[in-house]
PDB file of all heavy atoms in Angstrom:
ATOM      1  N   LEU Z   9     257.287  57.029 -56.855  1.00  0.00           N
ATOM      2  CA  LEU Z   9     258.073  56.464 -57.949  1.00  0.00           C
ATOM      3  C   LEU Z   9     259.302  57.423 -58.197  1.00  0.00           C
ATOM      4  O   LEU Z   9     260.420  56.939 -58.442  1.00  0.00           O
ATOM      5  CB  LEU Z   9     257.232  56.429 -59.235  1.00  0.00           C
ATOM      6  CG  LEU Z   9     258.036  55.916 -60.481  1.00  0.00           C
ATOM      7  CD1 LEU Z   9     258.646  54.566 -60.326  1.00  0.00           C
ATOM      8  CD2 LEU Z   9     257.126  55.955 -61.730  1.00  0.00           C
ATOM      9  N   ASP Z  10     259.036  58.697 -58.060  1.00  0.00           N
ATOM     10  CA  ASP Z  10     260.151  59.653 -58.226  1.00  0.00           C
ATOM     11  C   ASP Z  10     261.291  59.419 -57.155  1.00  0.00           C
ATOM     12  O   ASP Z  10     262.480  59.428 -57.457  1.00  0.00           O
ATOM     13  CB  ASP Z  10     259.640  61.099 -58.070  1.00  0.00           C
ATOM     14  CG  ASP Z  10     258.763  61.469 -59.288  1.00  0.00           C
ATOM     15  OD1 ASP Z  10     258.976  61.057 -60.379  1.00  0.00           O
ATOM     16  OD2 ASP Z  10     257.764  62.209 -58.980  1.00  0.00           O
ATOM     17  N   LEU Z  11     260.782  59.085 -55.965  1.00  0.00           N
ATOM     18  CA  LEU Z  11     261.803  58.838 -54.904  1.00  0.00           C
ATOM     19  C   LEU Z  11     262.599  57.583 -55.162  1.00  0.00           C
ATOM     20  O   LEU Z  11     263.861  57.539 -55.005  1.00  0.00           O
ATOM     21  CB  LEU Z  11     261.076  58.741 -53.550  1.00  0.00           C
ATOM     22  CG  LEU Z  11     260.237  59.827 -53.035  1.00  0.00           C
ATOM     23  CD1 LEU Z  11     259.769  59.610 -51.694  1.00  0.00           C
ATOM     24  CD2 LEU Z  11     261.018  61.225 -53.102  1.00  0.00           C
ATOM     25  N   LEU Z  12     261.949  56.583 -55.706  1.00  0.00           N
ATOM     26  CA  LEU Z  12     262.589  55.300 -55.967  1.00  0.00           C
ATOM     27  C   LEU Z  12     263.611  55.525 -57.179  1.00  0.00           C
ATOM     28  O   LEU Z  12     264.747  54.978 -57.079  1.00  0.00           O
ATOM     29  CB  LEU Z  12     261.593  54.195 -56.385  1.00  0.00           C
ATOM     30  CG  LEU Z  12     260.656  53.726 -55.298  1.00  0.00           C
ATOM     31  CD1 LEU Z  12     259.633  52.817 -55.890  1.00  0.00           C
ATOM     32  CD2 LEU Z  12     261.441  53.076 -54.181  1.00  0.00           C
ATOM     33  N   LEU Z  13     263.261  56.290 -58.128  1.00  0.00           N
ATOM     34  CA  LEU Z  13     264.156  56.577 -59.171  1.00  0.00           C
ATOM     35  C   LEU Z  13     265.338  57.387 -58.751  1.00  0.00           C
ATOM     36  O   LEU Z  13     266.480  57.149 -59.261  1.00  0.00           O
ATOM     37  CB  LEU Z  13     263.374  57.340 -60.285  1.00  0.00           C
ATOM     38  CG  LEU Z  13     262.323  56.560 -61.100  1.00  0.00           C
ATOM     39  CD1 LEU Z  13     261.484  57.457 -61.978  1.00  0.00           C
ATOM     40  CD2 LEU Z  13     263.045  55.454 -61.990  1.00  0.00           C
ATOM     41  N   ARG Z  14     265.128  58.291 -57.802  1.00  0.00           N
ATOM     42  CA  ARG Z  14     266.302  59.023 -57.311  1.00  0.00           C
ATOM     43  C   ARG Z  14     267.209  58.272 -56.454  1.00  0.00           C
ATOM     44  O   ARG Z  14     268.525  58.314 -56.620  1.00  0.00           O
ATOM     45  CB  ARG Z  14     265.767  60.219 -56.423  1.00  0.00           C
ATOM     46  CG  ARG Z  14     265.212  61.405 -57.237  1.00  0.00           C
ATOM     47  CD  ARG Z  14     264.583  62.402 -56.369  1.00  0.00           C
ATOM     48  NE  ARG Z  14     265.440  62.961 -55.385  1.00  0.00           N
ATOM     49  CZ  ARG Z  14     265.078  63.660 -54.325  1.00  0.00           C
ATOM     50  NH1 ARG Z  14     263.708  64.060 -54.294  1.00  0.00           N
ATOM     51  NH2 ARG Z  14     265.907  64.044 -53.421  1.00  0.00           N
ATOM     52  N   VAL Z  15     266.667  57.286 -55.683  1.00  0.00           N
ATOM     53  CA  VAL Z  15     267.528  56.350 -54.945  1.00  0.00           C
ATOM     54  C   VAL Z  15     268.366  55.481 -55.950  1.00  0.00           C
ATOM     55  O   VAL Z  15     269.617  55.276 -55.761  1.00  0.00           O
ATOM     56  CB  VAL Z  15     266.733  55.442 -54.018  1.00  0.00           C
ATOM     57  CG1 VAL Z  15     267.552  54.320 -53.447  1.00  0.00           C
ATOM     58  CG2 VAL Z  15     266.098  56.285 -52.867  1.00  0.00           C
ATOM     59  N   LYS Z  16     267.746  54.976 -56.950  1.00  0.00           N
ATOM     60  CA  LYS Z  16     268.431  54.123 -57.896  1.00  0.00           C
ATOM     61  C   LYS Z  16     269.448  54.974 -58.662  1.00  0.00           C
ATOM     62  O   LYS Z  16     270.581  54.422 -58.927  1.00  0.00           O
ATOM     63  CB  LYS Z  16     267.437  53.543 -58.884  1.00  0.00           C
ATOM     64  CG  LYS Z  16     268.006  52.510 -59.796  1.00  0.00           C
ATOM     65  CD  LYS Z  16     267.016  51.762 -60.673  1.00  0.00           C
ATOM     66  CE  LYS Z  16     267.679  50.815 -61.645  1.00  0.00           C
ATOM     67  NZ  LYS Z  16     268.231  49.652 -60.837  1.00  0.00           N
ATOM     68  N   ALA Z  17     269.175  56.193 -59.021  1.00  0.00           N
ATOM     69  CA  ALA Z  17     270.123  57.010 -59.809  1.00  0.00           C
ATOM     70  C   ALA Z  17     271.255  57.539 -58.965  1.00  0.00           C
ATOM     71  O   ALA Z  17     272.372  57.698 -59.491  1.00  0.00           O
ATOM     72  CB  ALA Z  17     269.385  58.067 -60.456  1.00  0.00           C
ATOM     73  N   GLU Z  18     270.969  57.931 -57.746  1.00  0.00           N
ATOM     74  CA  GLU Z  18     271.904  58.714 -56.976  1.00  0.00           C
ATOM     75  C   GLU Z  18     272.527  57.925 -55.700  1.00  0.00           C
ATOM     76  O   GLU Z  18     273.604  58.360 -55.343  1.00  0.00           O
ATOM     77  CB  GLU Z  18     271.269  59.965 -56.409  1.00  0.00           C
ATOM     78  CG  GLU Z  18     270.629  60.904 -57.472  1.00  0.00           C
ATOM     79  CD  GLU Z  18     269.837  61.970 -57.019  1.00  0.00           C
ATOM     80  OE1 GLU Z  18     269.697  62.171 -55.721  1.00  0.00           O
ATOM     81  OE2 GLU Z  18     269.215  62.687 -57.767  1.00  0.00           O
ATOM     82  N   GLU Z  19     271.948  56.909 -55.285  1.00  0.00           N
ATOM     83  CA  GLU Z  19     272.392  56.254 -54.098  1.00  0.00           C
ATOM     84  C   GLU Z  19     272.778  54.771 -54.264  1.00  0.00           C
ATOM     85  O   GLU Z  19     273.739  54.369 -53.676  1.00  0.00           O
ATOM     86  CB  GLU Z  19     271.390  56.467 -52.904  1.00  0.00           C
ATOM     87  CG  GLU Z  19     271.100  57.937 -52.684  1.00  0.00           C
ATOM     88  CD  GLU Z  19     270.705  58.209 -51.213  1.00  0.00           C
ATOM     89  OE1 GLU Z  19     271.125  57.416 -50.356  1.00  0.00           O
ATOM     90  OE2 GLU Z  19     269.901  59.078 -51.022  1.00  0.00           O
ATOM     91  N   ASP Z  20     271.888  54.036 -54.924  1.00  0.00           N
ATOM     92  CA  ASP Z  20     272.202  52.644 -55.039  1.00  0.00           C
ATOM     93  C   ASP Z  20     271.629  52.056 -56.357  1.00  0.00           C
ATOM     94  O   ASP Z  20     270.353  51.843 -56.449  1.00  0.00           O
ATOM     95  CB  ASP Z  20     271.642  51.891 -53.815  1.00  0.00           C
ATOM     96  CG  ASP Z  20     272.030  50.413 -53.764  1.00  0.00           C
ATOM     97  OD1 ASP Z  20     272.550  49.922 -54.784  1.00  0.00           O
ATOM     98  OD2 ASP Z  20     271.863  49.791 -52.696  1.00  0.00           O
ATOM     99  N   GLY Z  21     272.434  51.946 -57.366  1.00  0.00           N
ATOM    100  CA  GLY Z  21     271.935  51.497 -58.623  1.00  0.00           C
ATOM    101  C   GLY Z  21     271.502  50.026 -58.610  1.00  0.00           C
ATOM    102  O   GLY Z  21     270.870  49.587 -59.636  1.00  0.00           O
ATOM    103  N   SER Z  22     271.650  49.307 -57.548  1.00  0.00           N
ATOM    104  CA  SER Z  22     271.272  47.891 -57.590  1.00  0.00           C
ATOM    105  C   SER Z  22     269.829  47.706 -57.101  1.00  0.00           C
ATOM    106  O   SER Z  22     269.285  46.612 -57.231  1.00  0.00           O
ATOM    107  CB  SER Z  22     272.205  47.067 -56.610  1.00  0.00           C
ATOM    108  OG  SER Z  22     271.972  47.465 -55.310  1.00  0.00           O
ATOM    109  N   LEU Z  23     269.175  48.807 -56.696  1.00  0.00           N
ATOM    110  CA  LEU Z  23     267.728  48.698 -56.315  1.00  0.00           C
ATOM    111  C   LEU Z  23     266.881  48.302 -57.513  1.00  0.00           C
ATOM    112  O   LEU Z  23     266.973  48.868 -58.619  1.00  0.00           O
ATOM    113  CB  LEU Z  23     267.313  50.059 -55.698  1.00  0.00           C
ATOM    114  CG  LEU Z  23     265.833  50.178 -55.442  1.00  0.00           C
ATOM    115  CD1 LEU Z  23     265.426  49.222 -54.282  1.00  0.00           C
ATOM    116  CD2 LEU Z  23     265.409  51.596 -55.182  1.00  0.00           C
ATOM    117  N   ALA Z  24     266.030  47.279 -57.264  1.00  0.00           N
ATOM    118  CA  ALA Z  24     265.289  46.716 -58.337  1.00  0.00           C
ATOM    119  C   ALA Z  24     263.778  46.941 -58.117  1.00  0.00           C
ATOM    120  O   ALA Z  24     263.322  46.597 -57.030  1.00  0.00           O
ATOM    121  CB  ALA Z  24     265.496  45.182 -58.565  1.00  0.00           C
ATOM    122  N   PHE Z  25     263.125  47.481 -59.103  1.00  0.00           N
ATOM    123  CA  PHE Z  25     261.654  47.675 -59.016  1.00  0.00           C
ATOM    124  C   PHE Z  25     261.126  47.774 -60.547  1.00  0.00           C
ATOM    125  O   PHE Z  25     261.924  48.041 -61.444  1.00  0.00           O
ATOM    126  CB  PHE Z  25     261.210  48.820 -58.296  1.00  0.00           C
ATOM    127  CG  PHE Z  25     261.888  50.133 -58.644  1.00  0.00           C
ATOM    128  CD1 PHE Z  25     261.198  50.957 -59.584  1.00  0.00           C
ATOM    129  CD2 PHE Z  25     263.113  50.539 -58.172  1.00  0.00           C
ATOM    130  CE1 PHE Z  25     261.839  52.197 -59.880  1.00  0.00           C
ATOM    131  CE2 PHE Z  25     263.758  51.730 -58.583  1.00  0.00           C
ATOM    132  CZ  PHE Z  25     263.019  52.591 -59.483  1.00  0.00           C
ATOM    133  N   ARG Z  26     259.838  47.530 -60.615  1.00  0.00           N
ATOM    134  CA  ARG Z  26     259.264  47.635 -61.978  1.00  0.00           C
ATOM    135  C   ARG Z  26     258.560  49.010 -62.224  1.00  0.00           C
ATOM    136  O   ARG Z  26     257.891  49.482 -61.217  1.00  0.00           O
ATOM    137  CB  ARG Z  26     258.277  46.510 -62.226  1.00  0.00           C
ATOM    138  CG  ARG Z  26     258.814  45.097 -62.363  1.00  0.00           C
ATOM    139  CD  ARG Z  26     257.748  44.092 -62.795  1.00  0.00           C
ATOM    140  NE  ARG Z  26     258.271  42.755 -63.019  1.00  0.00           N
ATOM    141  CZ  ARG Z  26     258.023  41.777 -62.223  1.00  0.00           C
ATOM    142  NH1 ARG Z  26     257.234  41.900 -61.124  1.00  0.00           N
ATOM    143  NH2 ARG Z  26     258.570  40.532 -62.491  1.00  0.00           N
ATOM    144  N   TYR Z  27     258.629  49.477 -63.298  1.00  0.00           N
ATOM    145  CA  TYR Z  27     257.854  50.666 -63.723  1.00  0.00           C
ATOM    146  C   TYR Z  27     257.930  50.838 -65.219  1.00  0.00           C
ATOM    147  O   TYR Z  27     258.772  50.238 -65.840  1.00  0.00           O
ATOM    148  CB  TYR Z  27     258.363  51.962 -63.081  1.00  0.00           C
ATOM    149  CG  TYR Z  27     259.695  52.537 -63.590  1.00  0.00           C
ATOM    150  CD1 TYR Z  27     259.638  53.542 -64.504  1.00  0.00           C
ATOM    151  CD2 TYR Z  27     260.894  51.896 -63.255  1.00  0.00           C
ATOM    152  CE1 TYR Z  27     260.867  54.112 -65.065  1.00  0.00           C
ATOM    153  CE2 TYR Z  27     262.131  52.461 -63.794  1.00  0.00           C
ATOM    154  CZ  TYR Z  27     262.087  53.515 -64.652  1.00  0.00           C
ATOM    155  OH  TYR Z  27     263.180  53.972 -65.248  1.00  0.00           O
ATOM    156  N   SER Z  28     257.030  51.513 -65.807  1.00  0.00           N
ATOM    157  CA  SER Z  28     256.985  51.741 -67.249  1.00  0.00           C
ATOM    158  C   SER Z  28     256.439  53.081 -67.643  1.00  0.00           C
ATOM    159  O   SER Z  28     257.267  54.055 -67.767  1.00  0.00           O
ATOM    160  CB  SER Z  28     256.186  50.626 -67.965  1.00  0.00           C
ATOM    161  OG  SER Z  28     256.295  50.788 -69.381  1.00  0.00           O
ATOM    162  N   CYS Z  29     255.113  53.306 -67.714  1.00  0.00           N
ATOM    163  CA  CYS Z  29     254.597  54.541 -68.221  1.00  0.00           C
ATOM    164  C   CYS Z  29     254.661  55.679 -67.201  1.00  0.00           C
ATOM    165  O   CYS Z  29     254.726  56.831 -67.690  1.00  0.00           O
ATOM    166  CB  CYS Z  29     253.165  54.291 -68.688  1.00  0.00           C
ATOM    167  SG  CYS Z  29     251.966  54.149 -67.299  1.00  0.00           S
ATOM    168  N   GLY Z  30     254.518  55.414 -66.036  1.00  0.00           N
ATOM    169  CA  GLY Z  30     254.651  56.440 -64.915  1.00  0.00           C
ATOM    170  C   GLY Z  30     253.350  57.241 -64.934  1.00  0.00           C
ATOM    171  O   GLY Z  30     253.311  58.349 -64.326  1.00  0.00           O
ATOM    172  N   GLN Z  31     252.274  56.854 -65.555  1.00  0.00           N
ATOM    173  CA  GLN Z  31     250.994  57.546 -65.700  1.00  0.00           C
ATOM    174  C   GLN Z  31     249.790  56.843 -65.066  1.00  0.00           C
ATOM    175  O   GLN Z  31     248.692  57.211 -65.368  1.00  0.00           O
ATOM    176  CB  GLN Z  31     250.815  57.922 -67.146  1.00  0.00           C
ATOM    177  CG  GLN Z  31     251.862  58.759 -67.733  1.00  0.00           C
ATOM    178  CD  GLN Z  31     252.089  60.139 -67.109  1.00  0.00           C
ATOM    179  OE1 GLN Z  31     251.081  60.752 -66.701  1.00  0.00           O
ATOM    180  NE2 GLN Z  31     253.379  60.557 -67.001  1.00  0.00           N
ATOM    181  N   GLY Z  32     249.996  55.714 -64.396  1.00  0.00           N
ATOM    182  CA  GLY Z  32     248.914  54.981 -63.814  1.00  0.00           C
ATOM    183  C   GLY Z  32     248.106  54.221 -64.834  1.00  0.00           C
ATOM    184  O   GLY Z  32     246.939  53.898 -64.654  1.00  0.00           O
ATOM    185  N   VAL Z  33     248.770  53.811 -65.906  1.00  0.00           N
ATOM    186  CA  VAL Z  33     248.082  53.056 -67.027  1.00  0.00           C
ATOM    187  C   VAL Z  33     248.615  51.685 -67.142  1.00  0.00           C
ATOM    188  O   VAL Z  33     247.909  50.719 -67.310  1.00  0.00           O
ATOM    189  CB  VAL Z  33     248.238  53.770 -68.358  1.00  0.00           C
ATOM    190  CG1 VAL Z  33     247.599  52.936 -69.465  1.00  0.00           C
ATOM    191  CG2 VAL Z  33     247.564  55.169 -68.229  1.00  0.00           C
ATOM    192  N   CYS Z  34     249.940  51.447 -66.976  1.00  0.00           N
ATOM    193  CA  CYS Z  34     250.560  50.119 -67.249  1.00  0.00           C
ATOM    194  C   CYS Z  34     250.416  49.242 -66.087  1.00  0.00           C
ATOM    195  O   CYS Z  34     250.351  48.003 -66.218  1.00  0.00           O
ATOM    196  CB  CYS Z  34     252.074  50.259 -67.599  1.00  0.00           C
ATOM    197  SG  CYS Z  34     253.108  50.848 -66.169  1.00  0.00           S
ATOM    198  N   GLY Z  35     250.279  49.720 -64.830  1.00  0.00           N
ATOM    199  CA  GLY Z  35     250.108  48.944 -63.694  1.00  0.00           C
ATOM    200  C   GLY Z  35     251.316  48.166 -63.153  1.00  0.00           C
ATOM    201  O   GLY Z  35     251.177  47.407 -62.162  1.00  0.00           O
ATOM    202  N   SER Z  36     252.451  48.407 -63.732  1.00  0.00           N
ATOM    203  CA  SER Z  36     253.643  47.671 -63.387  1.00  0.00           C
ATOM    204  C   SER Z  36     254.261  48.095 -62.056  1.00  0.00           C
ATOM    205  O   SER Z  36     255.111  47.275 -61.494  1.00  0.00           O
ATOM    206  CB  SER Z  36     254.683  47.739 -64.471  1.00  0.00           C
ATOM    207  OG  SER Z  36     255.059  49.041 -64.731  1.00  0.00           O
ATOM    208  N   ASP Z  37     253.967  49.266 -61.512  1.00  0.00           N
ATOM    209  CA  ASP Z  37     254.597  49.704 -60.367  1.00  0.00           C
ATOM    210  C   ASP Z  37     253.727  49.605 -59.128  1.00  0.00           C
ATOM    211  O   ASP Z  37     253.838  50.410 -58.182  1.00  0.00           O
ATOM    212  CB  ASP Z  37     255.153  51.142 -60.526  1.00  0.00           C
ATOM    213  CG  ASP Z  37     254.061  52.133 -60.792  1.00  0.00           C
ATOM    214  OD1 ASP Z  37     252.930  51.686 -61.063  1.00  0.00           O
ATOM    215  OD2 ASP Z  37     254.296  53.348 -60.526  1.00  0.00           O
ATOM    216  N   ALA Z  38     252.813  48.661 -59.035  1.00  0.00           N
ATOM    217  CA  ALA Z  38     252.064  48.333 -57.847  1.00  0.00           C
ATOM    218  C   ALA Z  38     252.941  47.875 -56.752  1.00  0.00           C
ATOM    219  O   ALA Z  38     253.690  46.982 -56.878  1.00  0.00           O
ATOM    220  CB  ALA Z  38     250.927  47.419 -58.170  1.00  0.00           C
ATOM    221  N   LEU Z  39     252.807  48.529 -55.636  1.00  0.00           N
ATOM    222  CA  LEU Z  39     253.620  48.204 -54.414  1.00  0.00           C
ATOM    223  C   LEU Z  39     252.765  48.364 -53.148  1.00  0.00           C
ATOM    224  O   LEU Z  39     251.700  48.979 -53.219  1.00  0.00           O
ATOM    225  CB  LEU Z  39     254.856  49.111 -54.323  1.00  0.00           C
ATOM    226  CG  LEU Z  39     255.831  49.081 -55.538  1.00  0.00           C
ATOM    227  CD1 LEU Z  39     256.813  50.273 -55.490  1.00  0.00           C
ATOM    228  CD2 LEU Z  39     256.605  47.718 -55.535  1.00  0.00           C
ATOM    229  N   THR Z  40     253.305  47.839 -52.042  1.00  0.00           N
ATOM    230  CA  THR Z  40     252.654  48.081 -50.750  1.00  0.00           C
ATOM    231  C   THR Z  40     253.343  49.334 -50.183  1.00  0.00           C
ATOM    232  O   THR Z  40     254.598  49.285 -49.785  1.00  0.00           O
ATOM    233  CB  THR Z  40     252.835  46.870 -49.794  1.00  0.00           C
ATOM    234  OG1 THR Z  40     252.201  45.722 -50.511  1.00  0.00           O
ATOM    235  CG2 THR Z  40     252.079  47.200 -48.474  1.00  0.00           C
ATOM    236  N   ILE Z  41     252.656  50.433 -50.041  1.00  0.00           N
ATOM    237  CA  ILE Z  41     253.317  51.630 -49.585  1.00  0.00           C
ATOM    238  C   ILE Z  41     252.545  52.039 -48.289  1.00  0.00           C
ATOM    239  O   ILE Z  41     251.290  52.218 -48.294  1.00  0.00           O
ATOM    240  CB  ILE Z  41     253.070  52.726 -50.627  1.00  0.00           C
ATOM    241  CG1 ILE Z  41     253.780  52.371 -51.941  1.00  0.00           C
ATOM    242  CG2 ILE Z  41     253.617  54.055 -50.099  1.00  0.00           C
ATOM    243  CD1 ILE Z  41     253.509  53.307 -53.132  1.00  0.00           C
ATOM    244  N   ASN Z  42     253.268  52.101 -47.245  1.00  0.00           N
ATOM    245  CA  ASN Z  42     252.730  52.389 -45.864  1.00  0.00           C
ATOM    246  C   ASN Z  42     251.498  51.418 -45.559  1.00  0.00           C
ATOM    247  O   ASN Z  42     250.484  51.811 -45.085  1.00  0.00           O
ATOM    248  CB  ASN Z  42     252.310  53.841 -45.732  1.00  0.00           C
ATOM    249  CG  ASN Z  42     253.493  54.768 -45.663  1.00  0.00           C
ATOM    250  OD1 ASN Z  42     254.554  54.344 -45.734  1.00  0.00           O
ATOM    251  ND2 ASN Z  42     253.194  56.096 -45.419  1.00  0.00           N
TER     252      ASN Z  42
END
């Protein structure tokens, strides 16, 4: 999630993804990773 936030903030602000609490509680940032 930190990497995605850095890409959105520093390289491409159009990148779209969901996230909220960042603590494994809200479940909004489930993705297929590797």
Side-chain angles (χ1 to χ4, degrees):
L9 178 60
D10 296 322
L11 301 187
L12 294 174
L13 289 169
R14 283 173 54 191
V15 168
K16 186 172 180 67
E18 300 171 6
E19 302 207 30
D20 189 343
S22 69
L23 177 63
F25 56 94
R26 290 188 177 112
Y27 73 100
S28 184
C29 74
Q31 302 296 323
V33 176
C34 71
S36 59
D37 64 342
L39 299 167
T40 301
I41 302 172
N42 286 6

